[in-house]
């Protein structure tokens, strides 16, 4: 009984620290969302962002005029994303969390690192779709019964069970034929370990994280992924062309 009381106390203290650290950035995001609900401000902000867009390979950040940003559901989603990012176990240069995922075709359970092959880089693409590549479908960022987006190609409700998540992932698989797609467990272990909500890119190599992308959607940079792979390829070519003089 005493051990349980101590654990609950420690958990409460931990949650209080998380709230204290995250509250300032959350309030900034909330104010930004409130301002962006004014169409004149939204159009001006996104026009400037479009002017400053770098590489055309990166997906543009688009929000239609009909989508409301400042709402209870949106603020809950933003807080959830900030909290997952803050508490994630995945960090650049450290050992990659070997979390459980579920295969789409036969519903067999496996682990993230099961898909890594020798020393080849393994790209983890969380949330949406794009070396070896593994797409990990996680909880919906904009469910039809939550923070709904009219820009979404499909209206998918919150996943109530694994079958719901597998069925929704089948729609994603249709968009990326030939790409290996797995789904996160209903405990959201991969999402939590990698701070993947809303979407995120990683590269794993030999069990370690060698590239960690920013939180999506604004931090989802395919150009950074491409640049890393180009540098990796150039390094392999230099190694294969190196002449050793004795």
């Amino acid at each position: 009984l005493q051990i349980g009381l101590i654990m609950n106390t420690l958990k409460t203290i931990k949650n209080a620290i998380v709230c204290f650290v995250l509250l300032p950035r959350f309030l900034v995001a909330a104010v930004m969302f409130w301002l962006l609900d004014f169409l004149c401000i939204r159009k001006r902000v996104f026009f400037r962002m479009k002017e400053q867009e770098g590489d055309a390979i990166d997906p543009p950040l688009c929000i239609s005029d009909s989508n409301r940003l400042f709402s209870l559901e949106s603020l809950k989603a933003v807080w959830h994303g900030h909290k997952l990012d803050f508490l994630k176990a995945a960090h650049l240069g450290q050992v990659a969390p070997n979390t459980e995922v579920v295969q789409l075709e036969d519903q067999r359970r496996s682990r993230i690192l099961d898909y890594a092959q020798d020393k080849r880089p393994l790209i983890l693409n969380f949330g949406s779709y794009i070396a070896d590549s593994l797409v990990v479908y996680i909880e919906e960022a904009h469910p039809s019964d939550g923070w709904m987006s009219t820009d979404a190609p499909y209206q998918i409700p919150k996943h109530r069970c694994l079958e719901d998540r597998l069925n929704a992932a089948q729609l994603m698989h249709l968009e990326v034929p030939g790409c290996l797609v797995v789904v996160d467990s209903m405990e959201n272990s991969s999402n939590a370990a990698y701070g993947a909500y809303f979407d995120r890119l990683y590269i794993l190599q030999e069990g370690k994280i060698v590239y960690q992308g920013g939180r999506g959607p604004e931090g989802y940079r395919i150009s950074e992924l491409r640049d890393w792979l180009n540098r990796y390829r150039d390094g392999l070519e230099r190694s294969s062309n190196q002449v050793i003089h004795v």
Side-chain angles (χ1 to χ4, degrees), residues 128-129 140 142 148-156 171-172 175:
S128 52
Y129 48 82
E140 274 294 320
H142 298 283
M148 186 179 69
S149 171
T150 57
D151 300 321
Y154 305 103
Q155 295 301 322
I156 300 172
L171 297 174
M172 176 185 289
E175 303 292 335

Side-chain angles (χ1 to χ4, degrees), residues 96-113:
N98 195 18
T99 49
E100 185 179 78
V101 292
V102 182
Q103 295 183 17
L104 193 59
E105 296 178 354
D106 56 9
Q107 301 184 22
R108 188 162 55 89
R109 294 180 180 269
S110 55
R111 296 276 175 177
I112 288 282
L113 294 180

Side-chain angles (χ1 to χ4, degrees), residues 114-174:
D114 292 345
Y115 300 92
Q117 299 183 24
D118 300 323
K119 296 183 178 181
R120 287 168 54 86
L122 173 66
I123 299 170
L124 294 185
N125 192 348
F126 284 97
S128 52
Y129 48 82
I130 65 167
D132 299 314
S133 179
L134 180 67
V135 177
V136 184
Y137 181 61
I138 58 176
E139 59 182 311
E140 274 294 320
H142 298 283
S144 58
D145 53 350
W147 185 18
M148 186 179 69
S149 171
T150 57
D151 300 321
Y154 305 103
Q155 295 301 322
I156 300 172
K158 293 177 183 177
H159 309 141
R160 308 295 180 185
C161 60
L162 183 59
E163 185 179 1
D164 289 348
R165 185 163 291 180
L166 288 166
N167 289 337
Q170 290 286 358
L171 297 174
M172 176 185 289
H173 198 221
L174 293 175

